[in-house]
Amino acid sequence: MKPIDHQILKLALPSIVSNITVPLLGLCDVTIMGHIGGATHIGAIAVGSMIFNVMYWLFGFLRMGTSGLTSQALGSRQFKEVSAMLYRSLLVALVSGVVIVLLQWPLQQFTFFLMQPTDDVLSLCIPYYYICIWGAPAVLGLYALTGWYIGMQNTRIPMLIAIGQNVVNIGISLLLVVGLGMKVEGVALGTVIAQWVGFLASLLLLRCYYGRLFHHHIIHWTEIRRGLERFFRLNTDIFLRTVCLIAVNLYFTSAGASQGALILAANTLLLQFFMFFSFAMDGFAFAGEALSGKYFGAHNKIMLRQTIICTFRWGVIVASMFTLVYWLGGTSFLSLLTTDSKVINAAAEYLPWAILIPFCGLAAFVWDGIFIGITATRGMLLSCFVATLAFFCVYFLLRPTYVNHALWLAFLIYLLLRGIVQTIISYNHNNS
């Protein structure tokens, strides 16, 4: 095994563990509701979770931009800039989180209008929303901290935080729902408490492990303010790319919801297949992100190329493993998520699409990590924009005949095109 492989695994394995646990925050909620309630309760959690995904994904640059810029500063040994990056990112994160809380009512009206859930699902979504909204500052703050840790080549602390969050979430949710008889409200409270515990624990570990760095490099407000302009300028492409991601994911859930609670629940369960693969794949993407940023900042083209090649090699291995697991055990996995036979049978009809997710999304995930590390954000935006257009074109053309099958086909084409366009961009850049 090459030295670069050791570096990738050292960064990727903790990220895989932490990223695999991230969907457990939502999967735990879906599973509890799947056993306590039925299709309506599962649908309510799906719509409520998507609303917060819409909000939080818009701030994805807090993690991605922070990671890329921090790793480059580390590679060029600009340690004062390393410290300043965290201050800037945390400032933006916490201010944004407070604004979201203050604007919770108009945001609720707008997002529920876009989602158009049925009345039975809506009645359960509303209390879930007004509880989970209080976790916004913690979630965005943790985005900033996680990005900074990855940029510092440290994926162990995010792993510990993610595991701790899930232990808290599962424990409190079960206590409130099973022990005290609460339903959607109990799940929401468990999620919010877990989010704040994770954020505060991350701050504590920051002080323990990196306190000396910030002590030796005092950052003044003028330096933070001056760097904010560059921070936002470089992350505009990431923000617009995120808008494309949100458009696809929001419409995917909305299209399922328009077909009724049963199809919405079936699509929600199958999306767990995508979530597990994506968070596992992101482990290697994060490794490529941290290493490519470091070598790009150090102007080491040889190691940068090796990072790209080896990250793709590990990506193929991961995609192969997930495809095999989904093919052999997909139906059994559905049965673990819910005891509702109608939902299971409905999801089984679309299971073949979920099995194709790993290889359709492989290149997109790996290239995203590399492009973030070298801050080639314009290429990320272009690829996602093209793929998003293809998603809507394919779905609207095929929807009258194939309905939900058309939705899944459009989603897979969207994943595939992102990777294809990024590969073309990378090839042209290397040969220009």
Side-chain angles (χ1 to χ4, degrees), residues 239-263:
F239 176 83
L240 294 175
R241 166 189 174 270
T242 304
V243 172
C244 292
L245 293 177
I246 288 174
V248 171
N249 284 275
L250 177 63
Y251 191 82
F252 188 97
T253 300
S254 178
S258 67
Q259 300 176 58
L262 185 61
I263 293 298

mmCIF file of all heavy atoms in Angstrom, residues 239-263:
data_model
loop_
_atom_site.group_PDB
_atom_site.id
_atom_site.type_symbol
_atom_site.label_atom_id
_atom_site.label_comp_id
_atom_site.label_asym_id
_atom_site.label_seq_id
_atom_site.Cartn_x
_atom_site.Cartn_y
_atom_site.Cartn_z
ATOM 1 N N PHE A 239 -22.447 28.268 -2.827
ATOM 2 C CA PHE A 239 -23.822 28.613 -2.456
ATOM 3 C C PHE A 239 -24.785 28.339 -3.614
ATOM 4 O O PHE A 239 -25.843 27.727 -3.432
ATOM 5 C CB PHE A 239 -23.894 30.085 -2.043
ATOM 6 C CG PHE A 239 -25.279 30.559 -1.729
ATOM 7 C CD1 PHE A 239 -25.836 30.340 -0.480
ATOM 8 C CD2 PHE A 239 -26.040 31.222 -2.688
ATOM 9 C CE1 PHE A 239 -27.117 30.767 -0.184
ATOM 10 C CE2 PHE A 239 -27.326 31.653 -2.412
ATOM 11 C CZ PHE A 239 -27.866 31.428 -1.151
ATOM 12 N N LEU A 240 -24.422 28.791 -4.814
ATOM 13 C CA LEU A 240 -25.287 28.583 -5.972
ATOM 14 C C LEU A 240 -25.393 27.099 -6.316
ATOM 15 O O LEU A 240 -26.463 26.627 -6.727
ATOM 16 C CB LEU A 240 -24.749 29.372 -7.172
ATOM 17 C CG LEU A 240 -24.784 30.900 -7.027
ATOM 18 C CD1 LEU A 240 -24.124 31.565 -8.228
ATOM 19 C CD2 LEU A 240 -26.221 31.381 -6.868
ATOM 20 N N ARG A 241 -24.303 26.372 -6.162
ATOM 21 C CA ARG A 241 -24.349 24.916 -6.363
ATOM 22 C C ARG A 241 -25.312 24.286 -5.374
ATOM 23 O O ARG A 241 -26.090 23.383 -5.712
ATOM 24 C CB ARG A 241 -22.952 24.319 -6.189
ATOM 25 C CG ARG A 241 -22.933 22.798 -6.050
ATOM 26 C CD ARG A 241 -21.540 22.328 -5.652
ATOM 27 N NE ARG A 241 -21.523 20.901 -5.365
ATOM 28 C CZ ARG A 241 -21.741 20.372 -4.162
ATOM 29 N NH1 ARG A 241 -22.029 21.177 -3.140
ATOM 30 N NH2 ARG A 241 -21.688 19.074 -3.978
ATOM 31 N N THR A 242 -25.272 24.771 -4.143
ATOM 32 C CA THR A 242 -26.165 24.247 -3.117
ATOM 33 C C THR A 242 -27.629 24.506 -3.466
ATOM 34 O O THR A 242 -28.493 23.676 -3.189
ATOM 35 C CB THR A 242 -25.830 24.871 -1.751
ATOM 36 O OG1 THR A 242 -24.454 24.630 -1.449
ATOM 37 C CG2 THR A 242 -26.691 24.263 -0.646
ATOM 38 N N VAL A 243 -27.895 25.644 -4.080
ATOM 39 C CA VAL A 243 -29.256 25.934 -4.525
ATOM 40 C C VAL A 243 -29.726 24.876 -5.518
ATOM 41 O O VAL A 243 -30.877 24.422 -5.477
ATOM 42 C CB VAL A 243 -29.334 27.340 -5.152
ATOM 43 C CG1 VAL A 243 -30.699 27.574 -5.790
ATOM 44 C CG2 VAL A 243 -29.063 28.411 -4.102
ATOM 45 N N CYS A 244 -28.836 24.459 -6.411
ATOM 46 C CA CYS A 244 -29.175 23.395 -7.371
ATOM 47 C C CYS A 244 -29.461 22.086 -6.638
ATOM 48 O O CYS A 244 -30.429 21.379 -6.960
ATOM 49 C CB CYS A 244 -28.042 23.198 -8.369
ATOM 50 S SG CYS A 244 -27.781 24.573 -9.506
ATOM 51 N N LEU A 245 -28.627 21.751 -5.659
ATOM 52 C CA LEU A 245 -28.838 20.532 -4.880
ATOM 53 C C LEU A 245 -30.187 20.573 -4.168
ATOM 54 O O LEU A 245 -30.925 19.580 -4.150
ATOM 55 C CB LEU A 245 -27.717 20.355 -3.852
ATOM 56 C CG LEU A 245 -26.308 20.069 -4.368
ATOM 57 C CD1 LEU A 245 -25.343 20.013 -3.192
ATOM 58 C CD2 LEU A 245 -26.268 18.769 -5.148
ATOM 59 N N ILE A 246 -30.489 21.717 -3.594
ATOM 60 C CA ILE A 246 -31.749 21.866 -2.877
ATOM 61 C C ILE A 246 -32.924 21.724 -3.826
ATOM 62 O O ILE A 246 -33.931 21.071 -3.491
ATOM 63 C CB ILE A 246 -31.796 23.235 -2.167
ATOM 64 C CG1 ILE A 246 -30.831 23.243 -0.979
ATOM 65 C CG2 ILE A 246 -33.206 23.561 -1.700
ATOM 66 C CD1 ILE A 246 -30.696 24.583 -0.316
ATOM 67 N N ALA A 247 -32.810 22.317 -5.008
ATOM 68 C CA ALA A 247 -33.898 22.239 -5.983
ATOM 69 C C ALA A 247 -34.230 20.788 -6.317
ATOM 70 O O ALA A 247 -35.398 20.400 -6.365
ATOM 71 C CB ALA A 247 -33.521 23.007 -7.250
ATOM 72 N N VAL A 248 -33.190 19.979 -6.522
ATOM 73 C CA VAL A 248 -33.404 18.569 -6.859
ATOM 74 C C VAL A 248 -33.985 17.808 -5.674
ATOM 75 O O VAL A 248 -34.986 17.090 -5.796
ATOM 76 C CB VAL A 248 -32.093 17.909 -7.328
ATOM 77 C CG1 VAL A 248 -32.271 16.396 -7.477
ATOM 78 C CG2 VAL A 248 -31.645 18.509 -8.648
ATOM 79 N N ASN A 249 -33.377 17.954 -4.503
ATOM 80 C CA ASN A 249 -33.821 17.191 -3.339
ATOM 81 C C ASN A 249 -35.206 17.630 -2.867
ATOM 82 O O ASN A 249 -36.029 16.796 -2.472
ATOM 83 C CB ASN A 249 -32.800 17.334 -2.203
ATOM 84 C CG ASN A 249 -31.563 16.500 -2.437
ATOM 85 O OD1 ASN A 249 -31.522 15.322 -2.108
ATOM 86 N ND2 ASN A 249 -30.538 17.108 -3.023
ATOM 87 N N LEU A 250 -35.454 18.937 -2.888
ATOM 88 C CA LEU A 250 -36.765 19.431 -2.490
ATOM 89 C C LEU A 250 -37.839 18.939 -3.443
ATOM 90 O O LEU A 250 -38.897 18.455 -3.011
ATOM 91 C CB LEU A 250 -36.755 20.956 -2.434
ATOM 92 C CG LEU A 250 -38.087 21.641 -2.094
ATOM 93 C CD1 LEU A 250 -38.529 21.244 -0.698
ATOM 94 C CD2 LEU A 250 -37.938 23.160 -2.198
ATOM 95 N N TYR A 251 -37.559 19.016 -4.734
ATOM 96 C CA TYR A 251 -38.570 18.599 -5.694
ATOM 97 C C TYR A 251 -38.764 17.089 -5.655
ATOM 98 O O TYR A 251 -39.881 16.598 -5.868
ATOM 99 C CB TYR A 251 -38.211 19.037 -7.111
ATOM 100 C CG TYR A 251 -39.374 18.848 -8.059
ATOM 101 C CD1 TYR A 251 -40.375 19.812 -8.125
ATOM 102 C CD2 TYR A 251 -39.500 17.696 -8.826
ATOM 103 C CE1 TYR A 251 -41.471 19.639 -8.952
ATOM 104 C CE2 TYR A 251 -40.593 17.509 -9.650
ATOM 105 C CZ TYR A 251 -41.573 18.479 -9.717
ATOM 106 O OH TYR A 251 -42.668 18.290 -10.521
ATOM 107 N N PHE A 252 -37.707 16.345 -5.396
ATOM 108 C CA PHE A 252 -37.838 14.894 -5.296
ATOM 109 C C PHE A 252 -38.836 14.525 -4.198
ATOM 110 O O PHE A 252 -39.740 13.708 -4.403
ATOM 111 C CB PHE A 252 -36.478 14.254 -4.991
ATOM 112 C CG PHE A 252 -36.477 12.753 -5.062
ATOM 113 C CD1 PHE A 252 -36.058 12.104 -6.211
ATOM 114 C CD2 PHE A 252 -36.888 11.985 -3.985
ATOM 115 C CE1 PHE A 252 -36.055 10.716 -6.296
ATOM 116 C CE2 PHE A 252 -36.887 10.603 -4.047
ATOM 117 C CZ PHE A 252 -36.474 9.957 -5.211
ATOM 118 N N THR A 253 -38.691 15.141 -3.028
ATOM 119 C CA THR A 253 -39.613 14.870 -1.929
ATOM 120 C C THR A 253 -41.003 15.398 -2.242
ATOM 121 O O THR A 253 -42.015 14.735 -1.969
ATOM 122 C CB THR A 253 -39.088 15.505 -0.631
ATOM 123 O OG1 THR A 253 -37.807 14.960 -0.316
ATOM 124 C CG2 THR A 253 -40.033 15.241 0.532
ATOM 125 N N SER A 254 -41.066 16.595 -2.837
ATOM 126 C CA SER A 254 -42.358 17.179 -3.177
ATOM 127 C C SER A 254 -43.098 16.322 -4.202
ATOM 128 O O SER A 254 -44.314 16.119 -4.089
ATOM 129 C CB SER A 254 -42.163 18.599 -3.721
ATOM 130 O OG SER A 254 -43.381 19.164 -4.092
ATOM 131 N N ALA A 255 -42.380 15.805 -5.202
ATOM 132 C CA ALA A 255 -43.006 14.960 -6.219
ATOM 133 C C ALA A 255 -43.543 13.675 -5.609
ATOM 134 O O ALA A 255 -44.605 13.176 -6.000
ATOM 135 C CB ALA A 255 -42.003 14.639 -7.326
ATOM 136 N N GLY A 256 -42.816 13.138 -4.630
ATOM 137 C CA GLY A 256 -43.309 11.949 -3.928
ATOM 138 C C GLY A 256 -44.529 12.261 -3.089
ATOM 139 O O GLY A 256 -45.494 11.493 -3.063
ATOM 140 N N ALA A 257 -44.494 13.418 -2.416
ATOM 141 C CA ALA A 257 -45.618 13.809 -1.565
ATOM 142 C C ALA A 257 -46.888 14.029 -2.378
ATOM 143 O O ALA A 257 -48.000 13.734 -1.923
ATOM 144 C CB ALA A 257 -45.273 15.076 -0.788
ATOM 145 N N SER A 258 -46.748 14.534 -3.610
ATOM 146 C CA SER A 258 -47.916 14.786 -4.453
ATOM 147 C C SER A 258 -48.601 13.493 -4.894
ATOM 148 O O SER A 258 -49.751 13.517 -5.332
ATOM 149 C CB SER A 258 -47.500 15.588 -5.692
ATOM 150 O OG SER A 258 -46.662 14.820 -6.542
ATOM 151 N N GLN A 259 -47.896 12.360 -4.769
ATOM 152 C CA GLN A 259 -48.460 11.064 -5.132
ATOM 153 C C GLN A 259 -49.125 10.368 -3.942
ATOM 154 O O GLN A 259 -49.589 9.232 -4.075
ATOM 155 C CB GLN A 259 -47.368 10.160 -5.716
ATOM 156 C CG GLN A 259 -46.712 10.713 -6.970
ATOM 157 C CD GLN A 259 -45.568 9.844 -7.459
ATOM 158 O OE1 GLN A 259 -45.737 8.658 -7.741
ATOM 159 N NE2 GLN A 259 -44.386 10.431 -7.547
ATOM 160 N N GLY A 260 -49.129 11.024 -2.797
ATOM 161 C CA GLY A 260 -49.785 10.459 -1.626
ATOM 162 C C GLY A 260 -48.794 10.018 -0.562
ATOM 163 O O GLY A 260 -47.594 9.893 -0.800
ATOM 164 N N ALA A 261 -49.318 9.769 0.644
ATOM 165 C CA ALA A 261 -48.479 9.417 1.794
ATOM 166 C C ALA A 261 -47.726 8.107 1.578
ATOM 167 O O ALA A 261 -46.601 7.942 2.059
ATOM 168 C CB ALA A 261 -49.328 9.331 3.057
ATOM 169 N N LEU A 262 -48.334 7.148 0.859
ATOM 170 C CA LEU A 262 -47.693 5.844 0.664
ATOM 171 C C LEU A 262 -46.425 5.961 -0.181
ATOM 172 O O LEU A 262 -45.372 5.425 0.191
ATOM 173 C CB LEU A 262 -48.674 4.870 0.019
ATOM 174 C CG LEU A 262 -48.176 3.422 -0.144
ATOM 175 C CD1 LEU A 262 -47.865 2.812 1.214
ATOM 176 C CD2 LEU A 262 -49.208 2.583 -0.885
ATOM 177 N N ILE A 263 -46.498 6.649 -1.319
ATOM 178 C CA ILE A 263 -45.323 6.824 -2.174
ATOM 179 C C ILE A 263 -44.284 7.702 -1.479
ATOM 180 O O ILE A 263 -43.076 7.464 -1.580
ATOM 181 C CB ILE A 263 -45.722 7.426 -3.532
ATOM 182 C CG1 ILE A 263 -46.578 6.431 -4.312
ATOM 183 C CG2 ILE A 263 -44.483 7.793 -4.348
ATOM 184 C CD1 ILE A 263 -45.879 5.125 -4.643
#
